[in-house]
Amino acid sequence: ETEWSALKRQLEADLPLTDIPIVIEREPAREAFRTWRSQRRNTETVRQRYLPGHPDYQAAVEEEARTFRQFEEAAQRVVDTVQGRYEQMVERERSLRAALEEQEQVAFELDRKLVQYNDLRRRVDAEDKVYQAIISRMQEASLTGSLPSDLIRVVQEARPARSPFHPNRQRAITRGASLGAMFGLIAIFALYFADHRLRRNEEVERTLNLPVLGTLPLISKGSLRERGLATHLEDTGEVAESFRSLRASLMMDPSKREDKIMMITSTNAGEGKSLVATNLAICLAQDGQKTLLIGADLRRPSLHKLFEVENSVGLSDYLNGERRWSNCLIESGVPRLDVMPAGKLPSRPADLLSGPEWNQLLKSTAEHYDRIIIDAPPLLGISDSLVILSHIDTVLFVVRYGMTHSLSARHALHKLEASGTPCAGVIMNGVNLHSIANYYYYRRYGGYGYEYSAKPARAAGPFPRRMAR
């Protein structure tokens, strides 16, 4: 009733069918609406290219009118379906009320009879208890008369032990230690085989069938901006060297060296893909390559937090046609690095990213930059990353040490393989190099060739500001 009332109120207000959410979100109107919108964009493209008298222009206009008529017919079917379902539910409610009244009358009659039944039941229970007590007393009297008077006799006299009893402490300790070690080993192996989280490089390569391009240490100290710009704020150290090693791994492979557009993604949120994308972009810019960092996560953006700017202008403004792409950039404070944050959060991010504007953005920026790093959403749960994969040269897949599950990672890579976009490799992120478990496995960078002074890290440059284009 609420759904039909809302739909009826919108129809009586002469609201266009294209603006009624109930209509355009249901089949078959939803598919017809998408077809009409697609044809409408095609007509706009033709209108910009030809005059009204051109045959292609007229054909595009007729096709748009035809698809809109199909949408109106489908929308009318949706309206008729909602109205018919409402009327059917009203009739069903009326019949159920009649049946309820009939059952209430039957229940009243049963309650009246239940009072009489309970009274008779209590009388039967009381008389049964009296009968059982009489039978029990008769059985006791019969057994008492038949039993002999002397029921107890001595079989053997109790004698004291020759020496006091004490437990065998050595045997108890041996048994306890053996059982404890056995059950401890069983618990350790059970926990090991039940834990599917990725912790070693060979586990990642064996499970995902992809090479590990780099191992990034855990950055736990400092503010969010200091962690995001670690390679810019510190010239040396484990973090800077790990990202330089990652950059070298990408540059050594001739097949990856020519890839200009790289997308950074992960299985789920919270695995550090934005931190990896930012620091990798800084390393590429420090290598003399003009780099553009694009925040394509239009649901949970984080680049504006790393660079401490407002998320008021960015990628969504360009995709909506409100600004040119050059007016959506901010200065990062890093030479040869420009940043395009996500901008205002749209209602349908996947629709924006699947439009022609995204492809035009990559073509235009590829003419001005040597490298384009895209901070993309995770692969599982949403389709935003999948719709932009066809325009990407290569993908870097981020896994979080001790957090990413192998089953989820394999499922995400299956989606990536289905798109046909090559994946350059895996980046192991968040490894605590100072823990005892990882010290001898992931070798520390500070052990050879570096002298760390007692001076603090150089201060960061001025806060990023909006670029004047």
Side-chain angles (χ1 to χ4, degrees):
E1 182 180 5
T2 303
E3 187 178 34
W4 167 242
S5 298
L7 179 58
K8 184 178 179 182
R9 185 166 55 255
Q10 292 171 345
L11 293 174
E12 291 176 351
D14 294 334
L15 193 65
L17 294 175
T18 57
D19 296 339
I20 301 178
I22 299 177
V23 174
I24 65 176
E25 290 177 358
R26 293 196 175 185
E27 294 292 347
R30 177 170 58 186
E31 186 63 29
F33 179 71
R34 291 179 179 174
T35 305
W36 172 69
R37 284 190 60 186
S38 176
Q39 182 59 35
R40 186 179 181 184
R41 288 195 295 268
N42 186 27
T43 304
E44 290 297 329
T45 303
V46 174
R47 183 179 289 110
Q48 296 176 3
R49 184 178 299 175
Y50 302 109
L51 294 175
H54 196 276
D56 292 344
Y57 177 85
Q58 295 177 358
V61 172
E62 293 176 358
E63 182 63 20
E64 180 183 355
R66 186 185 67 80
T67 55
F68 186 73
R69 287 194 301 272
Q70 291 179 352
F71 166 70
E72 287 182 336
E73 294 174 358
Q76 187 60 42
R77 289 198 297 272
V78 172
V79 173
D80 295 340
T81 301
V82 174
Q83 182 180 5
R85 186 168 180 268
Y86 165 70
E87 294 175 352
Q88 180 184 3
M89 291 297 103
V90 170
E91 183 62 28
R92 183 179 178 184
E93 180 187 8
R94 188 180 297 110
S95 62
L96 289 176
R97 286 184 181 276
L100 176 63
E101 292 177 357
E102 181 180 354
Q103 292 299 321
E104 288 177 347
Q105 185 64 28
V106 173
F108 177 76
E109 293 294 331
L110 289 176
D111 290 341
R112 187 176 59 82
K113 295 180 180 179
L114 182 61
V115 174
Q116 301 176 358
Y117 170 78
N118 289 335
D119 182 51
L120 295 175
R121 182 69 180 177
R122 285 193 296 269
R123 292 173 57 185
V124 170
D125 292 340
E127 293 179 357
D128 184 67
K129 290 180 180 179
V130 174
Y131 172 74
Q132 294 296 335
I134 294 173
I135 294 297
S136 178
R137 294 294 299 274
M138 292 177 61
Q139 290 178 350
E140 290 178 1
S142 175
L143 290 174
T144 302
S146 61
L147 291 177
S149 58
D150 188 7
L151 297 178
I152 300 174
R153 61 188 182 89
V154 177
V155 177
Q156 185 178 2
E157 293 183 358
R159 298 178 181 178
R162 296 181 180 179
S163 60
F165 174 79
H166 60 87
N168 191 336
R169 186 175 302 176
Q170 183 178 1
R171 183 174 58 187
I173 293 175
T174 303
R175 289 179 178 178
S178 301
L179 291 176
M182 181 180 64
F183 286 114
L185 291 175
I186 293 174
I188 290 173
F189 279 102
L191 294 175
Y192 175 78
F193 286 106
D195 189 3
H196 297 285
R197 292 174 292 183
L198 299 174
R199 288 187 173 89
R200 293 289 185 267
N201 288 349
E202 58 267 19
E203 292 179 2
V204 175
E205 295 177 348
R206 182 177 64 252
T207 304
L208 306 183
N209 198 22
L210 287 173
V212 176
L213 300 176
T215 301
L216 307 180
L218 176 65
I219 310 174
S220 58
K221 297 182 180 180
S223 62
L224 181 61
R225 180 174 183 271
E226 292 174 348
R227 296 196 301 270
L229 307 179
T231 54
H232 174 58
L233 302 179
E234 296 182 4
D235 294 331
T236 59
E238 296 172 347
V239 178
E241 290 302 324
S242 61
F243 278 99
R244 293 192 185 107
S245 299
L246 174 60
R247 180 187 64 190
S249 299
L250 294 174
M251 295 299 101
M252 284 191 302
D253 192 346
S255 62
K256 304 181 183 66
R257 191 182 306 158
E258 302 299 328
D259 294 336
K260 178 174 287 189
I261 304 175
M262 292 187 289
M263 186 179 83
I264 313 296
T265 186
S266 61
T267 305
N268 297 301
E271 296 179 350
K273 57 180 180 56
S274 298
L275 184 145
V276 173
T278 304
N279 283 279
L280 178 59
I282 293 174
C283 282
L284 293 173
Q286 291 173 348
D287 193 39
Q289 305 182 49
K290 191 175 181 182
T291 306
L292 173 63
L293 177 61
I294 301 177
D297 192 346
L298 301 182
R299 299 177 186 268
R300 296 177 59 183
S302 57
L303 289 185
H304 66 285
K305 299 177 183 178
L306 298 179
F307 291 93
E308 295 184 349
V309 296
E310 294 183 0
N311 196 31
S312 57
V313 177
L315 175 62
S316 61
D317 299 277
Y318 169 76
L319 297 179
N320 285 322
E322 300 176 1
R323 291 174 177 263
R324 298 175 56 188
W325 68 268
S326 57
N327 295 331
C328 299
L329 304 180
I330 64 171
E331 292 182 354
S332 62
V334 180
R336 296 177 295 277
L337 175 63
D338 292 337
V339 179
M340 181 184 292
K344 296 184 292 293
L345 302 184
S347 58
R348 294 187 178 93
D351 294 340
L352 282 181
L353 295 173
S354 62
E357 294 82 2
W358 172 256
N359 190 19
Q360 184 61 36
L361 171 65
L362 296 182
K363 290 182 179 179
S364 302
T365 53
E367 299 175 358
H368 296 80
Y369 293 94
D370 300 323
R371 297 284 180 176
I372 300 175
I373 305 299
I374 299 175
D375 177 22
L379 290 172
L380 295 186
I382 56 178
S383 62
D384 298 4
S385 295
L386 301 178
V387 299
I388 65 177
L389 281 174
S390 58
H391 309 295
I392 304 301
D393 294 335
T394 187
V395 177
L396 299 181
F397 190 72
V398 178
V399 299
R400 185 66 180 264
Y401 172 87
M403 178 177 175
T404 304
H405 285 256
S406 60
L407 301 178
S408 301
R410 282 203 299 267
H411 182 54
L413 287 177
H414 286 330
K415 292 188 175 182
L416 187 61
E417 293 173 358
S419 68
T421 304
C423 183
V426 180
I427 301 173
M428 176 72 81
N429 182 38
V431 178
N432 187 0
L433 302 179
H434 299 282
S435 68
I436 298 177
N438 297 328
Y439 181 82
Y440 293 101
Y441 183 80
Y442 297 101
R443 298 302 175 92
R444 299 178 61 183
Y445 292 101
Y448 177 78
Y450 295 99
E451 293 183 0
Y452 300 100
S453 62
K455 297 180 180 180
R458 60 186 178 88
F463 285 170
R465 58 184 181 277
R466 196 65 59 182
M467 298 180 68
R469 298 278 178 175

